Amino acid sequence: MYSPFRKANGDTGRHGRSKSVWNIFVYRSSSKFDKRDPPKELICPIYGCLMFDPVVVSTGQSFERTSVQVCKDLGFKPQLPDGLNPDFTNVIPNLALRTTILTWCEKSGAEKPQQPDYYVVESVVRASMASTSSSSISREDSSIRVSERDLFKGGTENSPMLLSQAASEMKSRDSHFYSSSSSEESVIANNSPLLPFKTRLSSYSSSSSQSTSSEIVSGEVPSSASTSSVDDYYVVQFKKSDVYEQEQAVISLRKSTRTDEEARVSLCTPRLLSALKPLLLSRYAGVQPNAVAALVNLSLADINKVKIVRAGMTSMLIDLLKSGSEETKEHAAGAIFSLALEDDNKTAIGVLGALQPLLHALRSETERTRHDSALALYHLTLVQSNRVKLIKLGAANTLLGLLKASDMAGKVMLVLCNLAVSEEGKSALLDANAVDVLLGILRNSNKLDDSTRENCVGALYSLSQKSLRFKSMAKEAKAGEVLQVVVERGSERAREKAKKMLIAMQTRVKEEYEDEEEEVNWEGILEG
């Protein structure tokens, strides 16, 4: 089959270097344009219609973009008439072919192609899958789905965090437990902060909304309905002009995804997410909060986290966190926190501008909004690029100021621990007099739980690494007295860090002294 794109390898650039380039060939026909018989080069080989948004894939063929997305979502590689299997790994817009298609339509009198419906294309692809032998199904593309299913497999084993069992923070929520996945860097050098609570995000039931459970009855979806029909039901209801019917449908979605993991996975389709988008912007109090809460429930399934971000929901959640009602802000913070648990989402969420609204939400009137915003910042700052962005927003002074709030101290300390491991964060925190503030927290640590106290020592330890400024600031703040108390009464990890800082402060020794195996006379060092 002829393709208007061909990838040429081994071309030589103007400087004589070998490189790969895309050679674009524009279809030109000497025959008269015929509305009834468009050139086959203008038709998507998968969908079978004129292409609305043609793209060229890595192997050189051109397809409708929706067709490529459907094949990727289904893990399917069609076998083309020439016997080749296309590679959908990378796609680029085929602007030349799009221009050719529009020119053909104009000269032939044919209607310009419209963007195909995802569901219609999916039906065509599924029919092709059913009629294709098993050898045509790509095992490579199916790995995409496997990787999404296993986003958090082994998360607990690879997690840099230790989770305590202080359930009082979350007793109003349903039990859905998360551990952090592997991250770009460890939170604290060689050791991680000890969380004073569970990093848990639970589903949102309808009880916390203005809508009552009795309202859900009329919008209940029969449990015997098939997955496709349930998906159709919500899509149709969401697109209705009757606000009451929209409200009942979104409440029903919220309820059905509250505890049912299978429903979360099966319902989180591109069609449903696309239909849910307008409801996130609804001005009706019974629609918008329930829509955001339903999205939180969908995001609880590990495999859905990347899908939701790729569906363009993040920017809408950020806007809602800025200007929504208190209930909507609460759900928006929860959704961003849930999506931030996935490593592949962390950088994207930071780039889209979530850091500043989350920082502002730490002062929210709602406890859950503050809680989820802090945890979202913690997970986002496991990535270096987000640490730098947060520091540029002036977060150092803001976070140190929030340490005085007893209900926020433990959560804010986690974010400070992440910032302290980067050079930019260390410099900004020292400029903000973090040493004096953190030592003051330790002096009055009777109200702190053990994990927050330990994380405070950990943040000081990170600030002390390779820093002459820390040594002078610590001596001026009389850190020796505070650290000595930690050595005597602190936890094992806190004592170890405090001992190392005392050595560095009082003896000018090299870093390798810390790793010596011989017994150290700590009493002599402290007395000296």
Side-chain angles (χ1 to χ4, degrees):
M1 184 188 72
Y2 174 81
S3 172
F5 277 77
R6 182 176 64 206
K7 188 175 182 180
N9 297 318
D11 292 348
T12 302
R14 61 187 297 180
H15 299 294
R17 296 175 182 173
S18 176
K19 61 181 182 178
S20 296
V21 299
W22 294 97
N23 289 337
I24 302 176
F25 297 90
V26 181
Y27 171 81
R28 301 184 187 278
S29 175
S30 58
S31 60
K32 294 180 72 176
F33 289 99
D34 188 344
K35 177 178 179 179
R36 295 168 298 176
D37 187 22
K40 64 179 182 179
E41 291 81 7
L42 311 185
I43 297 176
C44 174
I46 298 174
Y47 182 44
C49 295
L50 282 174
M51 288 178 272
F52 168 77
D53 184 10
V55 294
V56 61
V57 300
S58 302
T59 44
Q61 299 92 354
S62 289
F63 302 93
E64 169 62 44
R65 185 185 294 274
T66 304
S67 300
V68 174
Q69 187 60 50
V70 169
C71 289
K72 291 175 70 173
D73 290 345
L74 297 177
F76 175 64
K77 275 188 178 178
Q79 187 171 28
L80 301 178
D82 56 8
L84 297 177
N85 291 111
D87 181 2
F88 295 140
T89 304
N90 297 301
V91 298
I92 62 173
N94 193 334
L95 300 180
L97 183 57
R98 176 171 171 76
T99 301
T100 302
I101 293 172
L102 295 177
T103 301
W104 181 86
C105 291
E106 182 180 350
K107 293 186 177 182
S108 67
E111 293 185 5
K112 295 180 180 179
Q114 301 296 318
Q115 184 173 7
D117 182 84
Y118 183 97
Y119 180 68
V120 174
V121 178
E122 182 182 10
S123 300
V124 174
V125 174
R126 287 189 182 278
S128 178
M129 293 172 65
S131 61
T132 304
S133 63
S134 59
S135 61
S136 300
I137 300 176
S138 166
R139 303 305 179 192
E140 296 176 5
D141 274 10
S142 63
S143 66
I144 297 175
R145 298 170 67 85
V146 173
S147 65
E148 289 179 345
R149 269 197 309 272
D150 297 336
L151 287 179
F152 287 98
K153 275 190 177 179
T156 303
E157 293 82 3
N158 299 326
S159 172
M161 306 189 315
L162 298 176
L163 306 177
S164 69
Q165 302 300 317
S168 59
E169 293 268 356
M170 315 291 288
K171 63 183 178 182
S172 64
R173 300 193 177 192
D174 300 326
S175 61
H176 187 91
F177 190 79
Y178 283 93
S179 62
S180 171
S181 54
S182 59
S183 306
E184 185 176 301
E185 295 184 38
S186 296
V187 183
I188 296 296
N190 300 323
N191 286 288
S192 309
L194 183 66
L195 298 185
F197 43 80
K198 296 180 180 181
T199 52
R200 173 189 301 178
L201 183 72
S202 59
S203 58
Y204 285 81
S205 66
S206 58
S207 59
S208 64
S209 176
Q210 298 173 0
S211 303
T212 63
S213 58
S214 61
E215 293 176 304
I216 300 175
V217 176
S218 62
E220 194 75 52
V221 180
S223 58
S224 59
S226 65
T227 300
S228 60
S229 62
V230 172
D231 177 68
D232 285 339
Y233 166 80
Y234 286 119
V235 172
V236 171
Q237 293 297 109
F238 290 167
K239 292 183 177 180
K240 286 187 175 180
S241 57
D242 189 327
V243 176
Y244 179 79
E245 292 183 336
Q246 292 179 356
E247 180 179 345
Q248 296 307 300
V250 78
I251 292 173
S252 174
L253 176 65
R254 180 178 180 177
K255 180 183 178 183
S256 64
T257 56
R258 185 170 65 87
T259 58
D260 192 339
E261 178 77 9
E262 184 177 346
R264 293 169 186 161
V265 175
S266 62
L267 287 171
C268 191
T269 64
R271 291 180 66 238
L272 183 132
L273 292 176
S274 178
L276 186 62
K277 273 186 178 182
L279 304 190
L280 298 179
L281 303 177
S282 174
R283 307 302 289 269
Y284 289 92
V287 175
Q288 187 186 75
N290 284 298
V292 184
L295 186 63
V296 176
N297 292 350
L298 291 172
S299 74
L300 296 179
D302 299 344
I303 194 173
N304 292 344
K305 297 182 188 297
V306 174
K307 292 180 182 178
I308 292 172
V309 170
R310 290 178 178 174
M313 299 294 208
T314 310
S315 296
M316 303 175 75
L317 292 171
I318 293 171
D319 288 339
L320 293 174
L321 186 60
K322 293 178 182 178
S323 58
S325 64
E326 287 302 320
E327 183 183 1
T328 300
K329 288 180 180 178
E330 182 177 295
H331 298 330
I336 296 173
F337 163 37
S338 176
L339 297 174
L341 289 169
E342 166 53 41
D343 281 352
D344 289 344
N345 290 342
K346 288 179 171 62
T347 301
I349 294 173
V351 169
L352 290 170
L355 297 176
Q356 191 167 40
L358 288 170
L359 191 64
H360 179 70
L362 295 180
R363 298 187 177 93
S364 172
E365 297 178 1
T366 307
E367 181 182 358
R368 184 180 288 185
T369 301
R370 297 195 302 269
H371 174 275
D372 288 347
S373 296
L375 285 180
L377 285 173
Y378 166 73
H379 286 282
L380 291 173
T381 51
L382 291 170
V383 176
Q384 172 62 13
S385 60
N386 287 335
R387 294 174 194 151
V388 175
K389 288 184 176 70
L390 199 60
I391 286 299
K392 290 182 178 179
L393 293 172
N397 284 300
T398 301
L399 294 171
L400 290 172
L402 287 169
L403 283 178
K404 299 176 182 178
S406 58
D407 66 320
M408 290 297 294
K411 309 171 189 70
V412 170
M413 193 70 73
L414 292 172
V415 184
L416 288 172
C417 285
N418 283 355
L419 298 181
V421 301
S422 68
E423 290 303 318
E424 297 85 356
K426 184 186 300 184
S427 177
L429 288 171
L430 290 176
D431 289 342
N433 201 25
V435 175
D436 188 57
V437 173
L438 293 173
L439 288 172
I441 294 292
L442 288 176
R443 285 192 181 95
N444 302 284
S445 61
N446 294 333
K447 298 180 180 180
L448 298 180
D449 54 75
D450 292 340
S451 58
T452 302
R453 190 181 302 109
E454 182 174 315
N455 288 338
C456 187
V457 177
L460 282 169
Y461 179 73
S462 293
L463 293 175
S464 72
Q465 298 302 292
K466 301 178 182 179
S467 175
L468 295 176
R469 290 178 62 192
F470 173 87
K471 184 176 180 179
S472 60
M473 295 174 72
K475 284 188 175 182
E476 184 177 349
K478 298 181 179 180
E481 300 174 0
V482 179
L483 295 177
Q484 183 174 349
V485 174
V486 174
V487 170
E488 294 172 354
R489 306 176 187 175
S491 64
E492 182 179 353
R493 293 203 304 173
R495 290 200 304 269
E496 185 65 24
K497 290 185 175 73
K499 290 174 182 178
K500 291 180 179 180
M501 283 187 281
L502 284 171
I503 292 177
M505 288 171 54
Q506 298 190 17
T507 64
R508 294 187 185 178
V509 286
K510 319 98 187 167
E511 293 179 358
E512 52 264 24
Y513 178 77
E514 301 170 6
D515 298 324
E516 290 182 0
E517 296 182 358
E518 62 183 11
E519 185 176 352
V520 179
N521 182 5
W522 295 113
E523 295 182 1
I525 292 175
L526 293 175
E527 291 175 358

